[in-house]
Amino acid sequence: MEDQGDIENEGGGIGVMIMENGKDLERNISAVSESGVRQPLLSSKSRVNNTSQIAIIGANVCPIESLDYEIIENDLFKQDWRSRKKVQIFQYIFLKWTLVLLIGLSVGLVGFFLNIAVENIAGFKLLLISDLMLQDKYFRGFAAYACCNLVLATCAGILCAFIAPAAAGSGIPEVKAYLNGIDAHSILAPSTLFVKIFGSALGVSAGFVVGKEGPMVHTGACIANLLGQGGSRKYHLTWKWLKYFKNDRDRRDLITCGAAAGVAAAFRAPVGGVLFALEEVASWWRSALLWRTFFSTAVVAMVLRSFIVFCRSGKCGLFGQGGLIMYDVNSGAPNYNTIDVLAVLLIGVLGGLLGSLYNYLVDKVLRTYSIINERGPAFKVLLVMTISILSSLCSYGLPWFATCTPCPVGLEDKCPTIGRSGNYKNFQCPAGHYNDLASLFMNTNDDAIRNLFSSDNSSEFHLSSLFVFFAGVYCLGVVTYGIAIPSGLFIPVILAGASYGRFVGTVLGSISNLNNGLFALLGAASFLGGTMRMTVSICVILLELTDDLLMLPLVMLVLLISKTVADCFNHGVYDQIVKMKGLPYLEAHAEPYMRQLVAGDVCSGPLITFSGVEKVGNIIHALKFTRHNGFPVIDAPPFSDAPEFCGLALRSHLLVLLKAKKFTKLSVLSGSSILRSFHAFDFAKPGSGKGPKLEDLSFTDEEMEMYVDLHPVTNTSPYTVVETMSLAKAAILFRQLGLRHLCVVPKKTTGRDPIVGILTRHDFMPEHIKGLYPHLVHHK
């Protein structure tokens, strides 16, 4: 990351005014480029971290842009708002609610499609294996099982590695970073959406210990982005009537709704989806956004409910009891004694310890995979195939070590189960017996969770089987996350947590008033809290998922304990991944060492400024030899009595202005003619397209010597802080307002330039501050 004010070199820094001679400007900028170039590391000091959102899976290096959440109040914006009629305001509000409705409908349909696809593909595979096992063709059964998994995994890997590498992983860290103000490359592209949907269906069906819940959050965000930007300019899918939403501020609201809808579609938890967006992914919130996210998740819940009723008629293939059906743990009012409370405390501590260890191991595995994956797409696919074979060996091989258990008497369901779903898998056992470990491994992940949460038979699983399953899922979950397929962490964590939760319940046996299914629920909650460090949203999601509100006090207790214990060792798994990928995420709190610095202390590099009426050649040289995205505009005599800070002009706005070539031969104010020639929407930020580029513009020597009035496109009310403000206070202000540029002005203006520098996201990063003041960061 080049040290020129931000990751994307937005123009932060302090130093020189723009030179009249373009050669002087170029020389100054070259001097800065050659000095102090710093990039965050991924695994060691000898390896450079890619600054893309998919650095851990070997993506190419690409620059990271920040998002403009601030309202740019220039003359064109003010003119547009003064001339906007009530019908246009009504149209804007109506379209925004319509988009929220469409997001809910689209995400609900995609969520249902994913469940149908997984249940039918995995169901067909498991039926085939079951038939071969019943005929005692065990080796052929393994060959068919491994081959099916390998084909599905390879297809998912090819899609992800060659079409959309950004679709790998859960996508929650990327959505979280986007809503923090980081626009990573291709994170919400249509190709990413396509691979996310189909790659997730193939990957989950391939028997990996992954879930589709995390990818659903990313999918919802991609759908919201596609609708909000009016389609895709790259694929010629655009709608001009959505011009009101061509800004990052409105897209942020819609993507937040999409992320919440994704959780609602994954878990059938509309309230949990809203709270997940509030607690985990959104960096900025307001009451109107709460209302819109709640509406979108409610729409998702209605869509899913309608399709589930439709599928009960048997028209959805092998969907049956899978996927979207709630996990049943109801067993009347839970009465718990002192032993149960102590057991809950133990489960909470276990969840915190195992969760922090899980995060540590995931971190190490991802750093290792980055070395393999950066060799190219072929190595990514090869890694996917290797993990697929390993998963098949574990899933098919470990149940052979389990003992056959006689079927319990008086069951309503058949035992052993013949077919795909059910608690009692026959596997290699004789008639009237079942293999309890096979009912967990040789099932879909949803059915395995349902079996663990079941309270019908307290002695259904042996302690040895629960321990082996926990160890297998724990290890497979660690080594699977990070390969080039869409993969979520929710399901592996719930499976592992439910395993040791049920293990504790089985050990307590008759001395406990809680059944094993409730202990499994508490174990899943503890492990979720220990890995993801969420409390409120996880609590509500689990209660909506199991339809058991009476467990609320114990779930709250176990989540608080597990999060507290795990926070003593490391950060949440999504926070770790955001940092590992080099995404410049701004935390809600300021670091302690920031209190020892002031805003002026971290400004660095030359400050490139423009006059209110600037020569075209100077602007082109500045745009060509810097990657800054914000330039201070200063009025000097004869346009003002003394040098005066006028505001901030954005690179994108300058390019639009230059493209129109509204120049004058003399240095005079011509803002009125520019206001008549442009509309505010001409400067709207494009969606998938990048707008005009400097390379596409050409100018004659005569035009280079002409002048252009920058006042109409200058944001005359940028956020400013005095240079003596503490850096901690400035960091909190920067994050809470969702800024891209924060101007630093001098405390005393006598004999000084009217602006000291610009603070951008980069200036608040520990790497930047450590380079300037290593002793402060080291002793934080």
PDB file of all heavy atoms in Angstrom, residues 484-517:
ATOM      1  N   ALA A 484     -10.791 -22.652  -2.381  1.00  0.00           N
ATOM      2  CA  ALA A 484     -11.474 -21.831  -3.378  1.00  0.00           C
ATOM      3  C   ALA A 484     -12.882 -22.333  -3.669  1.00  0.00           C
ATOM      4  O   ALA A 484     -13.213 -22.726  -4.792  1.00  0.00           O
ATOM      5  CB  ALA A 484     -10.655 -21.790  -4.663  1.00  0.00           C
ATOM      6  N   ILE A 485     -13.731 -22.323  -2.648  1.00  0.00           N
ATOM      7  CA  ILE A 485     -15.158 -22.577  -2.817  1.00  0.00           C
ATOM      8  C   ILE A 485     -15.904 -21.632  -1.885  1.00  0.00           C
ATOM      9  O   ILE A 485     -15.357 -21.203  -0.872  1.00  0.00           O
ATOM     10  CB  ILE A 485     -15.546 -24.035  -2.487  1.00  0.00           C
ATOM     11  CG1 ILE A 485     -15.240 -24.354  -1.018  1.00  0.00           C
ATOM     12  CG2 ILE A 485     -14.868 -25.016  -3.427  1.00  0.00           C
ATOM     13  CD1 ILE A 485     -15.866 -25.637  -0.529  1.00  0.00           C
ATOM     14  N   PRO A 486     -17.145 -21.287  -2.205  1.00  0.00           N
ATOM     15  CA  PRO A 486     -17.948 -20.527  -1.237  1.00  0.00           C
ATOM     16  C   PRO A 486     -18.216 -21.393  -0.013  1.00  0.00           C
ATOM     17  O   PRO A 486     -18.721 -22.507  -0.128  1.00  0.00           O
ATOM     18  CB  PRO A 486     -19.242 -20.236  -2.010  1.00  0.00           C
ATOM     19  CG  PRO A 486     -18.881 -20.373  -3.453  1.00  0.00           C
ATOM     20  CD  PRO A 486     -17.828 -21.440  -3.495  1.00  0.00           C
ATOM     21  N   SER A 487     -17.844 -20.921   1.154  1.00  0.00           N
ATOM     22  CA  SER A 487     -17.952 -21.757   2.348  1.00  0.00           C
ATOM     23  C   SER A 487     -18.241 -20.885   3.555  1.00  0.00           C
ATOM     24  O   SER A 487     -17.607 -19.852   3.749  1.00  0.00           O
ATOM     25  CB  SER A 487     -16.654 -22.547   2.568  1.00  0.00           C
ATOM     26  OG  SER A 487     -15.542 -21.680   2.602  1.00  0.00           O
ATOM     27  N   GLY A 488     -19.202 -21.312   4.354  1.00  0.00           N
ATOM     28  CA  GLY A 488     -19.553 -20.594   5.565  1.00  0.00           C
ATOM     29  C   GLY A 488     -19.062 -21.310   6.806  1.00  0.00           C
ATOM     30  O   GLY A 488     -18.816 -22.523   6.792  1.00  0.00           O
ATOM     31  N   LEU A 489     -18.928 -20.557   7.888  1.00  0.00           N
ATOM     32  CA  LEU A 489     -18.437 -21.105   9.146  1.00  0.00           C
ATOM     33  C   LEU A 489     -19.543 -21.463  10.118  1.00  0.00           C
ATOM     34  O   LEU A 489     -19.286 -22.137  11.114  1.00  0.00           O
ATOM     35  CB  LEU A 489     -17.497 -20.088   9.816  1.00  0.00           C
ATOM     36  CG  LEU A 489     -16.098 -19.946   9.212  1.00  0.00           C
ATOM     37  CD1 LEU A 489     -15.372 -18.776   9.845  1.00  0.00           C
ATOM     38  CD2 LEU A 489     -15.300 -21.220   9.426  1.00  0.00           C
ATOM     39  N   PHE A 490     -20.755 -21.006   9.883  1.00  0.00           N
ATOM     40  CA  PHE A 490     -21.829 -21.237  10.842  1.00  0.00           C
ATOM     41  C   PHE A 490     -22.065 -22.724  11.083  1.00  0.00           C
ATOM     42  O   PHE A 490     -22.111 -23.186  12.228  1.00  0.00           O
ATOM     43  CB  PHE A 490     -23.124 -20.580  10.359  1.00  0.00           C
ATOM     44  CG  PHE A 490     -23.262 -19.143  10.758  1.00  0.00           C
ATOM     45  CD1 PHE A 490     -22.966 -18.137   9.875  1.00  0.00           C
ATOM     46  CD2 PHE A 490     -23.692 -18.801  12.037  1.00  0.00           C
ATOM     47  CE1 PHE A 490     -23.083 -16.806  10.237  1.00  0.00           C
ATOM     48  CE2 PHE A 490     -23.826 -17.483  12.412  1.00  0.00           C
ATOM     49  CZ  PHE A 490     -23.516 -16.478  11.515  1.00  0.00           C
ATOM     50  N   ILE A 491     -22.230 -23.478  10.006  1.00  0.00           N
ATOM     51  CA  ILE A 491     -22.584 -24.896  10.137  1.00  0.00           C
ATOM     52  C   ILE A 491     -21.471 -25.711  10.798  1.00  0.00           C
ATOM     53  O   ILE A 491     -21.751 -26.498  11.721  1.00  0.00           O
ATOM     54  CB  ILE A 491     -22.973 -25.479   8.759  1.00  0.00           C
ATOM     55  CG1 ILE A 491     -24.306 -24.872   8.293  1.00  0.00           C
ATOM     56  CG2 ILE A 491     -23.089 -26.994   8.839  1.00  0.00           C
ATOM     57  CD1 ILE A 491     -25.470 -25.113   9.228  1.00  0.00           C
ATOM     58  N   PRO A 492     -20.200 -25.599  10.389  1.00  0.00           N
ATOM     59  CA  PRO A 492     -19.152 -26.339  11.105  1.00  0.00           C
ATOM     60  C   PRO A 492     -19.102 -26.009  12.588  1.00  0.00           C
ATOM     61  O   PRO A 492     -18.907 -26.904  13.419  1.00  0.00           O
ATOM     62  CB  PRO A 492     -17.863 -25.896  10.394  1.00  0.00           C
ATOM     63  CG  PRO A 492     -18.286 -25.424   9.071  1.00  0.00           C
ATOM     64  CD  PRO A 492     -19.649 -24.866   9.235  1.00  0.00           C
ATOM     65  N   VAL A 493     -19.290 -24.748  12.919  1.00  0.00           N
ATOM     66  CA  VAL A 493     -19.239 -24.339  14.327  1.00  0.00           C
ATOM     67  C   VAL A 493     -20.436 -24.902  15.091  1.00  0.00           C
ATOM     68  O   VAL A 493     -20.298 -25.390  16.218  1.00  0.00           O
ATOM     69  CB  VAL A 493     -19.183 -22.799  14.417  1.00  0.00           C
ATOM     70  CG1 VAL A 493     -19.396 -22.331  15.840  1.00  0.00           C
ATOM     71  CG2 VAL A 493     -17.845 -22.291  13.895  1.00  0.00           C
ATOM     72  N   ILE A 494     -21.624 -24.862  14.496  1.00  0.00           N
ATOM     73  CA  ILE A 494     -22.808 -25.412  15.167  1.00  0.00           C
ATOM     74  C   ILE A 494     -22.662 -26.919  15.354  1.00  0.00           C
ATOM     75  O   ILE A 494     -22.998 -27.468  16.417  1.00  0.00           O
ATOM     76  CB  ILE A 494     -24.075 -25.079  14.366  1.00  0.00           C
ATOM     77  CG1 ILE A 494     -24.359 -23.564  14.420  1.00  0.00           C
ATOM     78  CG2 ILE A 494     -25.283 -25.839  14.906  1.00  0.00           C
ATOM     79  CD1 ILE A 494     -25.549 -23.139  13.580  1.00  0.00           C
ATOM     80  N   LEU A 495     -22.151 -27.613  14.337  1.00  0.00           N
ATOM     81  CA  LEU A 495     -21.964 -29.062  14.448  1.00  0.00           C
ATOM     82  C   LEU A 495     -20.995 -29.418  15.571  1.00  0.00           C
ATOM     83  O   LEU A 495     -21.283 -30.289  16.405  1.00  0.00           O
ATOM     84  CB  LEU A 495     -21.436 -29.613  13.123  1.00  0.00           C
ATOM     85  CG  LEU A 495     -22.447 -29.834  11.995  1.00  0.00           C
ATOM     86  CD1 LEU A 495     -21.724 -30.145  10.699  1.00  0.00           C
ATOM     87  CD2 LEU A 495     -23.416 -30.955  12.347  1.00  0.00           C
ATOM     88  N   ALA A 496     -19.846 -28.748  15.608  1.00  0.00           N
ATOM     89  CA  ALA A 496     -18.853 -29.049  16.639  1.00  0.00           C
ATOM     90  C   ALA A 496     -19.376 -28.685  18.028  1.00  0.00           C
ATOM     91  O   ALA A 496     -19.217 -29.450  18.987  1.00  0.00           O
ATOM     92  CB  ALA A 496     -17.548 -28.303  16.346  1.00  0.00           C
ATOM     93  N   GLY A 497     -20.024 -27.514  18.146  1.00  0.00           N
ATOM     94  CA  GLY A 497     -20.554 -27.100  19.441  1.00  0.00           C
ATOM     95  C   GLY A 497     -21.652 -28.011  19.942  1.00  0.00           C
ATOM     96  O   GLY A 497     -21.695 -28.364  21.133  1.00  0.00           O
ATOM     97  N   ALA A 498     -22.542 -28.402  19.042  1.00  0.00           N
ATOM     98  CA  ALA A 498     -23.618 -29.305  19.448  1.00  0.00           C
ATOM     99  C   ALA A 498     -23.066 -30.664  19.877  1.00  0.00           C
ATOM    100  O   ALA A 498     -23.626 -31.320  20.766  1.00  0.00           O
ATOM    101  CB  ALA A 498     -24.606 -29.471  18.299  1.00  0.00           C
ATOM    102  N   SER A 499     -21.951 -31.080  19.289  1.00  0.00           N
ATOM    103  CA  SER A 499     -21.357 -32.372  19.647  1.00  0.00           C
ATOM    104  C   SER A 499     -20.856 -32.384  21.085  1.00  0.00           C
ATOM    105  O   SER A 499     -21.193 -33.283  21.865  1.00  0.00           O
ATOM    106  CB  SER A 499     -20.196 -32.699  18.699  1.00  0.00           C
ATOM    107  OG  SER A 499     -20.638 -32.747  17.365  1.00  0.00           O
ATOM    108  N   TYR A 500     -20.035 -31.385  21.455  1.00  0.00           N
ATOM    109  CA  TYR A 500     -19.529 -31.428  22.828  1.00  0.00           C
ATOM    110  C   TYR A 500     -20.603 -31.002  23.831  1.00  0.00           C
ATOM    111  O   TYR A 500     -20.558 -31.388  24.994  1.00  0.00           O
ATOM    112  CB  TYR A 500     -18.242 -30.609  22.991  1.00  0.00           C
ATOM    113  CG  TYR A 500     -18.361 -29.110  22.892  1.00  0.00           C
ATOM    114  CD1 TYR A 500     -18.947 -28.354  23.900  1.00  0.00           C
ATOM    115  CD2 TYR A 500     -17.797 -28.431  21.818  1.00  0.00           C
ATOM    116  CE1 TYR A 500     -19.012 -26.980  23.831  1.00  0.00           C
ATOM    117  CE2 TYR A 500     -17.849 -27.054  21.744  1.00  0.00           C
ATOM    118  CZ  TYR A 500     -18.463 -26.333  22.747  1.00  0.00           C
ATOM    119  OH  TYR A 500     -18.526 -24.969  22.663  1.00  0.00           O
ATOM    120  N   GLY A 501     -21.607 -30.245  23.392  1.00  0.00           N
ATOM    121  CA  GLY A 501     -22.733 -29.939  24.274  1.00  0.00           C
ATOM    122  C   GLY A 501     -23.519 -31.188  24.614  1.00  0.00           C
ATOM    123  O   GLY A 501     -23.857 -31.434  25.782  1.00  0.00           O
ATOM    124  N   ARG A 502     -23.794 -32.012  23.594  1.00  0.00           N
ATOM    125  CA  ARG A 502     -24.506 -33.267  23.846  1.00  0.00           C
ATOM    126  C   ARG A 502     -23.630 -34.239  24.631  1.00  0.00           C
ATOM    127  O   ARG A 502     -24.135 -35.047  25.416  1.00  0.00           O
ATOM    128  CB  ARG A 502     -24.957 -33.882  22.519  1.00  0.00           C
ATOM    129  CG  ARG A 502     -25.953 -35.022  22.705  1.00  0.00           C
ATOM    130  CD  ARG A 502     -26.535 -35.497  21.399  1.00  0.00           C
ATOM    131  NE  ARG A 502     -27.512 -36.554  21.636  1.00  0.00           N
ATOM    132  CZ  ARG A 502     -28.831 -36.409  21.555  1.00  0.00           C
ATOM    133  NH1 ARG A 502     -29.350 -35.226  21.241  1.00  0.00           N
ATOM    134  NH2 ARG A 502     -29.642 -37.423  21.780  1.00  0.00           N
ATOM    135  N   PHE A 503     -22.323 -34.164  24.419  1.00  0.00           N
ATOM    136  CA  PHE A 503     -21.397 -35.001  25.182  1.00  0.00           C
ATOM    137  C   PHE A 503     -21.522 -34.695  26.685  1.00  0.00           C
ATOM    138  O   PHE A 503     -21.611 -35.609  27.509  1.00  0.00           O
ATOM    139  CB  PHE A 503     -19.964 -34.747  24.700  1.00  0.00           C
ATOM    140  CG  PHE A 503     -18.925 -35.594  25.353  1.00  0.00           C
ATOM    141  CD1 PHE A 503     -18.517 -36.778  24.776  1.00  0.00           C
ATOM    142  CD2 PHE A 503     -18.338 -35.217  26.557  1.00  0.00           C
ATOM    143  CE1 PHE A 503     -17.547 -37.581  25.365  1.00  0.00           C
ATOM    144  CE2 PHE A 503     -17.378 -36.004  27.163  1.00  0.00           C
ATOM    145  CZ  PHE A 503     -16.984 -37.181  26.569  1.00  0.00           C
ATOM    146  N   VAL A 504     -21.540 -33.404  27.031  1.00  0.00           N
ATOM    147  CA  VAL A 504     -21.688 -33.014  28.437  1.00  0.00           C
ATOM    148  C   VAL A 504     -23.032 -33.479  28.979  1.00  0.00           C
ATOM    149  O   VAL A 504     -23.132 -33.994  30.098  1.00  0.00           O
ATOM    150  CB  VAL A 504     -21.516 -31.495  28.600  1.00  0.00           C
ATOM    151  CG1 VAL A 504     -21.858 -31.048  30.020  1.00  0.00           C
ATOM    152  CG2 VAL A 504     -20.098 -31.071  28.245  1.00  0.00           C
ATOM    153  N   GLY A 505     -24.094 -33.319  28.181  1.00  0.00           N
ATOM    154  CA  GLY A 505     -25.415 -33.767  28.615  1.00  0.00           C
ATOM    155  C   GLY A 505     -25.474 -35.257  28.842  1.00  0.00           C
ATOM    156  O   GLY A 505     -26.125 -35.734  29.787  1.00  0.00           O
ATOM    157  N   THR A 506     -24.799 -36.026  27.984  1.00  0.00           N
ATOM    158  CA  THR A 506     -24.774 -37.483  28.148  1.00  0.00           C
ATOM    159  C   THR A 506     -24.013 -37.886  29.398  1.00  0.00           C
ATOM    160  O   THR A 506     -24.396 -38.830  30.102  1.00  0.00           O
ATOM    161  CB  THR A 506     -24.152 -38.140  26.906  1.00  0.00           C
ATOM    162  OG1 THR A 506     -24.856 -37.711  25.729  1.00  0.00           O
ATOM    163  CG2 THR A 506     -24.225 -39.652  26.996  1.00  0.00           C
ATOM    164  N   VAL A 507     -22.910 -37.185  29.688  1.00  0.00           N
ATOM    165  CA  VAL A 507     -22.126 -37.486  30.880  1.00  0.00           C
ATOM    166  C   VAL A 507     -22.940 -37.233  32.143  1.00  0.00           C
ATOM    167  O   VAL A 507     -22.923 -38.031  33.097  1.00  0.00           O
ATOM    168  CB  VAL A 507     -20.826 -36.651  30.894  1.00  0.00           C
ATOM    169  CG1 VAL A 507     -20.127 -36.750  32.254  1.00  0.00           C
ATOM    170  CG2 VAL A 507     -19.893 -37.114  29.786  1.00  0.00           C
ATOM    171  N   LEU A 508     -23.684 -36.131  32.165  1.00  0.00           N
ATOM    172  CA  LEU A 508     -24.484 -35.812  33.358  1.00  0.00           C
ATOM    173  C   LEU A 508     -25.612 -36.816  33.557  1.00  0.00           C
ATOM    174  O   LEU A 508     -25.935 -37.189  34.683  1.00  0.00           O
ATOM    175  CB  LEU A 508     -25.041 -34.396  33.250  1.00  0.00           C
ATOM    176  CG  LEU A 508     -24.007 -33.261  33.314  1.00  0.00           C
ATOM    177  CD1 LEU A 508     -24.689 -31.918  33.163  1.00  0.00           C
ATOM    178  CD2 LEU A 508     -23.226 -33.315  34.618  1.00  0.00           C
ATOM    179  N   GLY A 509     -26.211 -37.228  32.452  1.00  0.00           N
ATOM    180  CA  GLY A 509     -27.235 -38.278  32.518  1.00  0.00           C
ATOM    181  C   GLY A 509     -28.399 -37.935  33.410  1.00  0.00           C
ATOM    182  O   GLY A 509     -29.028 -36.877  33.290  1.00  0.00           O
ATOM    183  N   SER A 510     -28.679 -38.809  34.356  1.00  0.00           N
ATOM    184  CA  SER A 510     -29.883 -38.693  35.177  1.00  0.00           C
ATOM    185  C   SER A 510     -29.819 -37.577  36.213  1.00  0.00           C
ATOM    186  O   SER A 510     -30.843 -37.184  36.764  1.00  0.00           O
ATOM    187  CB  SER A 510     -30.152 -40.029  35.893  1.00  0.00           C
ATOM    188  OG  SER A 510     -29.035 -40.371  36.707  1.00  0.00           O
ATOM    189  N   ILE A 511     -28.627 -37.056  36.522  1.00  0.00           N
ATOM    190  CA  ILE A 511     -28.545 -36.003  37.547  1.00  0.00           C
ATOM    191  C   ILE A 511     -28.912 -34.637  36.987  1.00  0.00           C
ATOM    192  O   ILE A 511     -28.950 -33.648  37.727  1.00  0.00           O
ATOM    193  CB  ILE A 511     -27.129 -35.946  38.165  1.00  0.00           C
ATOM    194  CG1 ILE A 511     -26.094 -35.537  37.105  1.00  0.00           C
ATOM    195  CG2 ILE A 511     -26.763 -37.283  38.783  1.00  0.00           C
ATOM    196  CD1 ILE A 511     -24.713 -35.331  37.684  1.00  0.00           C
ATOM    197  N   SER A 512     -29.169 -34.560  35.690  1.00  0.00           N
ATOM    198  CA  SER A 512     -29.525 -33.293  35.060  1.00  0.00           C
ATOM    199  C   SER A 512     -31.008 -33.274  34.720  1.00  0.00           C
ATOM    200  O   SER A 512     -31.603 -34.303  34.383  1.00  0.00           O
ATOM    201  CB  SER A 512     -28.706 -33.085  33.782  1.00  0.00           C
ATOM    202  OG  SER A 512     -29.174 -31.968  33.069  1.00  0.00           O
ATOM    203  N   ASN A 513     -31.608 -32.092  34.828  1.00  0.00           N
ATOM    204  CA  ASN A 513     -33.016 -31.923  34.452  1.00  0.00           C
ATOM    205  C   ASN A 513     -33.174 -31.523  32.990  1.00  0.00           C
ATOM    206  O   ASN A 513     -34.292 -31.463  32.483  1.00  0.00           O
ATOM    207  CB  ASN A 513     -33.676 -30.863  35.334  1.00  0.00           C
ATOM    208  CG  ASN A 513     -33.843 -31.337  36.772  1.00  0.00           C
ATOM    209  OD1 ASN A 513     -33.836 -32.549  37.032  1.00  0.00           O
ATOM    210  ND2 ASN A 513     -33.976 -30.410  37.698  1.00  0.00           N
ATOM    211  N   LEU A 514     -32.084 -31.192  32.333  1.00  0.00           N
ATOM    212  CA  LEU A 514     -32.133 -30.808  30.927  1.00  0.00           C
ATOM    213  C   LEU A 514     -31.803 -32.017  30.060  1.00  0.00           C
ATOM    214  O   LEU A 514     -30.924 -32.813  30.413  1.00  0.00           O
ATOM    215  CB  LEU A 514     -31.123 -29.691  30.628  1.00  0.00           C
ATOM    216  CG  LEU A 514     -31.335 -28.367  31.363  1.00  0.00           C
ATOM    217  CD1 LEU A 514     -30.204 -27.393  31.012  1.00  0.00           C
ATOM    218  CD2 LEU A 514     -32.686 -27.762  31.011  1.00  0.00           C
ATOM    219  N   ASN A 515     -32.494 -32.148  28.938  1.00  0.00           N
ATOM    220  CA  ASN A 515     -32.214 -33.279  28.064  1.00  0.00           C
ATOM    221  C   ASN A 515     -31.015 -32.985  27.166  1.00  0.00           C
ATOM    222  O   ASN A 515     -30.524 -31.856  27.081  1.00  0.00           O
ATOM    223  CB  ASN A 515     -33.450 -33.646  27.242  1.00  0.00           C
ATOM    224  CG  ASN A 515     -33.884 -32.522  26.319  1.00  0.00           C
ATOM    225  OD1 ASN A 515     -33.131 -32.073  25.466  1.00  0.00           O
ATOM    226  ND2 ASN A 515     -35.122 -32.061  26.491  1.00  0.00           N
ATOM    227  N   ASN A 516     -30.558 -34.011  26.484  1.00  0.00           N
ATOM    228  CA  ASN A 516     -29.344 -33.891  25.678  1.00  0.00           C
ATOM    229  C   ASN A 516     -29.495 -32.916  24.515  1.00  0.00           C
ATOM    230  O   ASN A 516     -28.520 -32.277  24.109  1.00  0.00           O
ATOM    231  CB  ASN A 516     -28.938 -35.270  25.147  1.00  0.00           C
ATOM    232  CG  ASN A 516     -28.510 -36.204  26.260  1.00  0.00           C
ATOM    233  OD1 ASN A 516     -28.351 -35.780  27.408  1.00  0.00           O
ATOM    234  ND2 ASN A 516     -28.316 -37.473  25.939  1.00  0.00           N
ATOM    235  N   GLY A 517     -30.697 -32.826  23.958  1.00  0.00           N
ATOM    236  CA  GLY A 517     -30.918 -31.891  22.860  1.00  0.00           C
ATOM    237  C   GLY A 517     -30.720 -30.443  23.290  1.00  0.00           C
ATOM    238  O   GLY A 517     -30.161 -29.628  22.544  1.00  0.00           O
TER     239      GLY A 517
END
